[in-house]
Amino acid sequence: MEGPKTRGEIRVATNQSPPLVGHNVVTSDAALVEAVIRHASAEVVDDLAPLGAEAGTAEAREQGILANENHPTLRSYDRYGNRVDEVAFHPSWHWLMERAVGHGLAAAPWESESPYAHVRRAAGFLAWSHTEPGHGCPISMTYAAVPALRVDEAVAKEWVPLLASTSYDPGLRPVAEKRGALAGMGMTEKQGGSDVRANVTVARPTSVDGEYTLHGHKWFTSAPMNDVFLVLAQAEGRPENEALSCFVVPRVLPDGTRNQLDVVRLKDKLGNRSNASSELEFDGTLAHRLGDEGRGVRTIIEMVNATRLDCVLGSAGLMRRAVSEAAWHAAHRSAFGGLLADKPLMQNVVADLAVESEAATALAVRLAAAVDDLTDPHEAALRRIALPLAKFWVCKRTPAMVAEALECLGGNGYVEESVMPLLYREAPLNSVWEGSGNVNALDVLRALAREPAALEAWISEVGLARGADPRLDRAVDDSLALLGDEATLEQSARRLAGRMAACLQGSLLVRFAPPEVADAFCASRLGSSYDGTFGMLAGSDLAAIAARTTPAR
Ligand SMILES: Cc1cc2nc3c(=O)[nH]c(=O)nc-3n(C[C@H](O)[C@H](O)[C@H](O)COP(=O)(O)OP(=O)(O)OC[C@H]3O[C@@H](n4cnc5c(N)ncnc54)[C@H](O)[C@@H]3O)c2cc1C
């Protein structure tokens, strides 16, 4: 082989993959398109195509990187020494937020007439998260606040139309002057996050019915520039186990003054760096009670459940972006005399990543479809069991999956410009917040113990594929057998949740995915051929699976 001779030849970069831009993130994702058609319609795919095209542009990808490189900053005081508690975001954050809200990814589906509004929004959220995951946090919280706010008709009337707006209108102003609003939540305190009953923030009733002042703190409250927060606090004067209540806390009061809410500092986080996650202090913060005193968990759980759906969607989005980059690189990079994409072992790795991504997407969109059917008892029972199952399993699978995708790019994958480090740092987060892994696995046990309809819904859902694949049938039977051993149930909660979630994924893939995808999933995730890492599939048409996942421009 002849080497470079001139300075110009030395500087030529050859055999490097072109950037993965200019493709449609929605229409080039076969698993997503098929899931949307299945649970909604082809028209919904068409409706999402502009979002998919924008999410794949070089500009969107650049804005995502800039929003992460330029972290939000806290300004506590103005130049005159007045306390302001403002967080400044980079223009790229606003660019991303404006489009996410504009594409209807915040609370728009709750006010929509479409029977497929939540599937549309879910698929859009998954696809748009390819641009940058951090700004998904306020978008999710805004989406999720609505079912909780609807506990109180008057409160819902004030806030829901603004949260459902497709106009992004940032800034601390009275909400009556705004074209759109965003919501957040404050549950976690220093002494306990999962165990919210340990909250020490106190709510003191004022002379106005339903109005309180809050006194205490929150250890994590993301997006503190949002317009309204759902906050947990102990109603003063109530017995200890009947005091935890939910409150609506506006950032700005109707007269234009700022509600007292000290932003103590912003967290220095592993990932999710475009987003601001703050510590707050309350001392006389005005709040309106949402739901009855003592029913705080019951009220806010509606919001938590909806954010759990977004954790699944967000993780599925991270997986899809990661496998797209991996497959794209393999399709353009050569080694040892041929394209990586043609090497049998690389086909195995990419196919295995694709199977994981397809399974995550199928389950995530199925869950969103269950939200489109709020009155159906089967769908309600399925939401109850399948949300914590999917939150546990899909989010838990993401870090290992993204790490493997990163390795497909070799050394380039370890370098910031490839975007893989951003995905890698983000990957554990969806499992940590909104109920960490153990908490969701234990929530599965709670659902099984208290709501018999939940188990029935799972059995009937996986039963739709009964007889199609013996490995799936066996895995379903094994899961049910695990339930029988009450003595070790808590200790085995992760094993049970993981198995039950994988059965749901398997039943969807067996029914709807190409046979080679379903076969690879059942063999490796449900059968005996799983060996602990990716790229160990056997006997399936791996080249076809890898080819299906490679984005086309
Ligand atoms: C970037 C970021 C942003 C966040 N934003 C917000 C926000 O906007 N609003 C908000 O309220 N919170 C927010 N959080 C907080 C988050 O929801 C909590 O960190 C999470 O719920 C866990 O609570 P904790 O940190 O108190 O951990 P702990 O509750 O102390 O849990 C520690 C570990 O113990 C496990 N565990 C807990 N109970 C049990 C049990 N019974 N058996 C076995 N294991 C158990 C948990 O799974 C976890 O692994 C944010 C967190 C992060 C990282």
Side-chain angles (χ1 to χ4, degrees):
M1 192 216 291
E2 237 183 87
K5 291 194 186 71
T6 64
R7 176 70 64 87
E9 282 173 355
I10 289 169
R11 290 196 170 158
V12 168
T14 60
N15 193 26
Q16 292 279 6
S17 312
L20 173 53
V21 291
H23 66 306
N24 190 307
V25 168
V26 171
T27 56
S28 67
D29 183 346
L32 183 65
V33 167
E34 288 162 17
V36 172
I37 292 174
R38 190 155 72 232
H39 298 296
S41 66
E43 286 72 39
V44 174
V45 177
D46 294 344
D47 183 38
L48 287 168
L51 177 158
E54 190 166 32
T57 58
E59 185 182 14
R61 305 225 147 177
E62 179 67 11
Q63 301 283 5
I65 288 170
L66 287 173
N68 277 272
E69 283 175 353
N70 298 279
H71 308 155
T73 51
L74 173 62
R75 194 166 69 106
S76 303
Y77 294 91
D78 70 9
R79 59 188 284 205
Y80 306 106
N82 298 305
R83 185 101 199 187
V84 288
D85 295 287
E86 286 189 9
V87 177
F89 291 92
H90 188 261
S92 293
W93 166 271
H94 295 296
W95 190 97
L96 293 159
M97 287 293 294
E98 184 170 11
R99 278 151 188 84
V101 172
H103 284 300
L105 304 183
W110 299 109
E111 297 272 90
S112 167
E113 305 273 295
S114 162
Y116 310 126
H118 292 274
V119 167
R120 181 208 175 272
R121 186 257 169 202
F125 182 85
L126 189 159
W128 187 255
S129 70
H130 286 228
T131 60
E132 195 282 318
H135 75 292
C137 170
I139 296 295
S140 288
M141 293 194 293
T142 302
Y143 169 71
V146 173
L149 289 169
R150 284 189 170 160
V151 166
D152 183 323
E153 215 177 304
V155 173
K157 206 166 153 201
E158 181 185 1
W159 286 103
V160 174
L162 286 161
L163 301 177
S165 164
T166 50
S167 299
Y168 176 57
D169 193 357
L172 298 183
R173 302 196 310 285
V175 74
E177 293 173 15
K178 295 193 117 188
R179 290 172 294 121
L182 298 169
M185 63 157 87
M187 300 193 297
T188 311
E189 298 190 357
K190 289 169 204 156
Q191 70 288 345
S194 312
D195 186 6
V196 289
R197 292 194 181 276
N199 271 198
V200 294
T201 297
V202 168
R204 210 161 277 158
T206 69
S207 53
V208 181
D209 186 33
E211 304 288 329
Y212 295 70
T213 57
L214 302 186
H215 307 263
H217 77 276
K218 292 293 159 184
W219 183 232
F220 278 94
T221 300
S222 290
M225 290 296 280
N226 284 1
D227 301 281
V228 63
F229 299 87
L230 269 61
V231 171
L232 288 181
Q234 309 280 0
E236 199 170 59
R238 301 266 305 180
E240 203 179 306
N241 58 354
E242 295 170 18
L244 195 63
S245 312
C246 185
F247 297 89
V248 175
V249 177
R251 190 70 159 84
V252 177
L253 299 172
D255 65 3
T257 56
R258 292 182 185 189
N259 203 357
Q260 185 280 327
L261 192 150
D262 287 357
V263 181
V264 180
R265 62 175 172 165
L266 301 185
K267 304 283 196 188
D268 184 8
K269 297 172 290 185
L270 166 67
N272 197 254
R273 298 185 75 96
S274 62
N275 182 23
S277 297
S278 66
E279 296 167 19
L280 300 182
E281 279 177 7
F282 307 123
D283 190 13
T285 312
L286 286 176
H288 181 92
R289 196 186 67 243
L290 186 65
D292 293 334
E293 281 188 354
R295 293 178 68 83
V297 173
R298 186 64 67 98
T299 305
I300 210 164
I301 199 72
E302 295 290 338
M303 181 173 187
V304 173
N305 283 336
T307 56
R308 284 180 181 174
L309 171 62
D310 273 25
C311 291
V312 182
L313 290 164
S315 288
L318 276 178
M319 285 193 193
R320 174 61 196 163
R321 172 87 200 257
V323 71
S324 302
E325 295 285 349
W328 180 257
H329 184 82
H332 292 87
R333 174 86 166 179
S334 295
F336 300 100
L339 275 178
L340 289 173
D342 294 332
K343 308 282 180 195
L345 187 51
M346 183 55 98
Q347 286 173 350
N348 196 333
V349 174
V350 172
D352 210 356
L353 296 171
V355 166
E356 195 70 38
S357 168
E358 290 217 16
T361 297
L363 184 54
V365 180
R366 172 66 188 91
L367 285 173
V371 186
D372 268 325
D373 217 342
L374 281 178
T375 52
D376 183 299
H378 168 76
E379 297 297 300
L382 188 68
R383 282 196 304 277
R384 177 66 191 95
I385 186 86
L387 266 179
L389 284 175
K391 165 75 166 76
F392 169 70
W393 185 240
V394 174
C395 300
K396 205 38 84 195
R397 299 286 295 165
T398 308
M401 189 276 183
V402 171
E404 193 65 61
L406 179 156
E407 192 173 321
C408 291
L409 277 71
N412 284 359
Y414 203 69
V415 172
E416 289 290 339
E417 286 163 318
S418 75
V419 98
M420 301 309 281
L422 188 158
L423 304 185
Y424 183 66
R425 285 192 296 270
E426 188 75 16
L429 181 56
N430 280 321
S431 186
V432 171
W433 61 12
E434 306 304 338
S436 311
N438 287 356
V439 170
N440 271 278
L442 292 171
D443 192 37
V444 170
L445 295 191
R446 199 170 307 119
L448 292 169
R450 294 188 190 164
E451 298 174 48
L455 179 59
E456 282 162 26
W458 179 85
I459 291 172
S460 94
E461 194 73 13
V462 294
L464 293 171
R466 189 93 196 164
D469 190 302
R471 295 160 298 190
L472 174 59
D473 292 348
R474 247 192 325 274
V476 169
D477 296 342
D478 290 350
S479 302
L480 291 170
L482 272 175
L483 276 175
D485 190 354
E486 293 238 349
T488 59
L489 212 46
E490 184 165 338
Q491 188 182 303
S492 316
R494 276 184 179 228
R495 180 161 175 68
L496 178 71
R499 295 281 75 195
M500 289 180 76
C503 287
L504 277 176
Q505 292 181 318
S507 72
L508 288 164
L509 295 183
V510 163
R511 286 159 65 209
F512 303 118
E516 62 273 13
V517 173
D519 178 58
F521 184 89
C522 290
S524 55
R525 274 65 170 179
L526 303 175
S528 55
S529 78
Y530 182 63
D531 286 306
T533 193
F534 291 90
M536 298 198 179
L537 298 176
S540 307
D541 190 353
L542 307 183
I545 301 173
R548 170 177 154 90
T549 210
T550 308
R553 277 204 294 212

